[in-house]
Amino acid sequence: MGPEAKRSELIYEGKAKKLYKTDDPNLLVQEFKDDATAFGATKHGIINQKGVINNRISEIVFKLLESKGVATHFVQRLSPREMLIKKVKVIPLEITIRNIVAGGMAKLLGLEEGLILKEPVLEYHYKEDNLHDPMINEYHIKALGLANTADLKVINSVSFQINNILKSFFDRKHLILVDFKLEFGKHKGKILLGDEVSPDTCRLWDKTTKEKLDKDRFRMDLGGVEDAYHEVLRRLEVGN
Ligand code: TMP
């Protein structure tokens, strides 16, 4: 299916994206919205052009990851706000990788934002909005059947591989990858990276000034939100 792929029925609407069926049962269209939420959707706003920027940034990142052997759900970008993706059975986990302390880890453990971790930290969160995506461990995951041992092994190693790839990629763009969140799903028995990779799902700081260039500008009312997203895309597009 090419860019002429026709989307049909809306099958899911989340906080930042919509999913539509296509005439191929294995493929969906993922549409990126400008809506932004934080703190369990208690804070809501519109970031002008965010959908267009995150679609393009995700395309660049998915293509990079695929080129390094990471299997993703990305097929191709269709339009400014739409990408064609493989349909997956979503594994209801959010995998967070942290290189530097910020956000949830700073709060949970009473740590100073900016502390450089001796090694990356991987966290699992149960993907359930009503519970605000609580942190869980491997025992919860296996006991509840959210993923099996073999799947978790793949998810862990792919997540750290993605961290290595993205840390050096963003570094070349003069950005520090502080932390990020990944979601995985299963397509024809294979685990694929899903969702999006964008300033909504990564913390990115300018390497020199440590200026925040991600959704924390929205979460913390820092201003300049749209400019920050534009700046990340501008840097990523150099050489792409
Ligand atoms: P946290 O510090 O708030 O747990 O966030 C860790 C990373 O995950 C950060 O880069 C932002 C991203 N994230 C999401 O993509 N979705 C979410 O719902 C949350 C809470 C964080």
Side-chain angles (χ1 to χ4, degrees):
M1 184 181 305
E4 71 284 356
K6 267 272 171 295
R7 73 185 203 189
S8 57
E9 195 189 330
L10 175 72
I11 53 166
Y12 171 80
E13 176 157 10
K15 290 174 287 190
K17 293 186 293 294
K18 293 180 186 177
L19 293 176
Y20 297 87
K21 280 187 181 170
T22 67
D23 42 24
D24 182 334
N26 287 311
L27 299 173
L28 300 177
V29 169
Q30 170 163 272
E31 182 191 16
F32 289 74
K33 309 194 290 184
D34 287 347
D35 298 70
T37 62
F39 314 121
T42 50
K43 183 181 172 88
H44 177 262
I46 298 288
I47 302 173
N48 200 25
Q49 292 295 104
K50 175 171 81 76
V52 174
I53 295 171
N54 283 358
N55 190 26
R56 177 72 182 120
I57 291 175
S58 292
E59 176 192 19
I60 292 169
V61 172
F62 283 135
K63 282 181 172 168
L64 168 76
L65 293 174
E66 288 277 353
S67 79
K68 306 278 184 190
V70 175
T72 80
H73 71 161
F74 178 77
V75 179
Q76 66 181 118
R77 191 164 65 94
L78 297 172
S79 73
R81 288 181 184 277
E82 296 170 314
M83 62 169 57
L84 190 63
I85 57 169
K86 291 175 186 159
K87 182 176 181 175
V88 299
K89 186 173 185 319
V90 173
I91 297 167
L93 295 176
E94 301 200 343
I95 313 298
T96 304
I97 299 256
R98 303 179 187 274
N99 298 304
I100 295 179
V101 170
M105 185 172 183
K107 190 161 177 231
L108 181 72
L109 299 176
L111 297 168
E112 197 76 45
E113 180 176 270
L115 176 73
I116 297 170
L117 294 161
K118 289 187 174 62
E119 53 185 84
V121 169
L122 184 151
E123 288 171 6
Y124 305 107
H125 292 256
Y126 178 43
K127 194 172 152 58
E128 179 51 70
D129 276 343
N130 296 328
L131 302 172
H132 306 304
D133 304 335
M135 195 178 346
I136 55 174
N137 66 34
E138 298 212 5
Y139 290 92
H140 295 103
I141 294 171
K142 288 179 207 168
L144 297 172
L146 304 178
N148 62 36
T149 307
D151 290 347
L152 265 190
K153 210 171 152 196
V154 173
I155 288 171
N156 291 354
S157 71
V158 172
S159 297
F160 284 118
Q161 185 192 358
I162 292 171
N163 187 40
N164 288 332
I165 296 166
L166 294 187
K167 256 194 314 187
S168 53
F169 173 67
F170 285 120
D171 181 73
R172 291 197 295 278
K173 310 296 182 179
H174 211 76
L175 291 165
I176 300 170
L177 179 60
V178 173
D179 58 30
F180 58 98
K181 186 265 298 177
L182 302 172
E183 295 182 26
F184 293 89
K186 263 193 162 175
H187 177 86
K188 298 181 179 171
K190 196 173 151 76
I191 292 182
L192 304 182
L193 175 66
D195 196 49
E196 65 177 292
V197 181
S198 73
D200 274 15
T201 63
C202 303
R203 284 195 174 91
L204 299 166
W205 295 352
D206 179 83
K207 207 169 147 180
T208 309
T209 66
K210 310 289 190 294
E211 187 188 6
K212 297 181 198 304
L213 294 170
D214 57 61
K215 195 173 154 188
D216 268 353
R217 301 203 73 83
F218 168 78
R219 295 190 188 96
M220 303 163 115
D221 295 317
L222 299 176
V225 187
E226 292 160 34
D227 287 349
Y229 281 70
H230 275 286
E231 177 59 17
V232 172
L233 176 57
R234 190 189 67 73
R235 293 191 197 187
L236 298 203
E237 281 197 318
V238 177
N240 266 289

